[in-house]
Amino acid sequence: MANIMNYKVLLYIFNIMLCLYALSGIKFEQFIKANKIVESRILVLIMGFIMAYLLTGFIFDFLKVSAII
C-alpha cells in the first residue's frame, strides 16, 4: 500500500508541474481587471492544482482498471 502511495505522490508532483506549464501559455491578464496581476497568478496556481488533482485521479484509476498497478 505504501508503494502505491509513493507512486501517487510522484504522479501528483509531475502533474502539478505539467499543468502549471500548460497554463503558462494562457494570458489570464486579458480576462482579469486591470492591475490585478497577483490575482491572475493565484488563479493560475489554483487552476493548476485542480487540473493536476483531476489528471492524477484519472491516470491512477485508469492504471487500476487496466490492472497495471
Side-chain angles (χ1 to χ4, degrees):
M1 183 68 177
N3 195 18
I4 292 174
M5 293 305 287
N6 289 338
Y7 288 128
K8 201 168 189 178
V9 168
L10 291 175
L11 196 57
Y12 272 121
I13 292 170
F14 175 75
N15 285 334
I16 287 171
M17 291 187 299
L18 182 70
C19 290
L20 289 176
Y21 176 73
L23 286 172
S24 69
I26 300 172
K27 290 186 179 181
F28 286 98
E29 292 86 7
Q30 293 177 349
F31 305 111
I32 305 295
K33 293 180 183 177
N35 299 325
K36 299 287 185 177
I37 304 298
V38 175
E39 287 84 351
S40 68
R41 290 183 182 165
I42 292 172
L43 177 65
V44 169
L45 281 174
I46 292 171
M47 289 177 59
F49 284 122
I50 290 170
M51 288 174 54
Y53 175 77
L54 293 172
L55 183 60
T56 301
F58 170 75
I59 292 172
F60 195 74
D61 289 343
F62 180 77
L63 292 176
K64 278 181 25 179
V65 167
S66 63
I68 293 176
I69 294 181

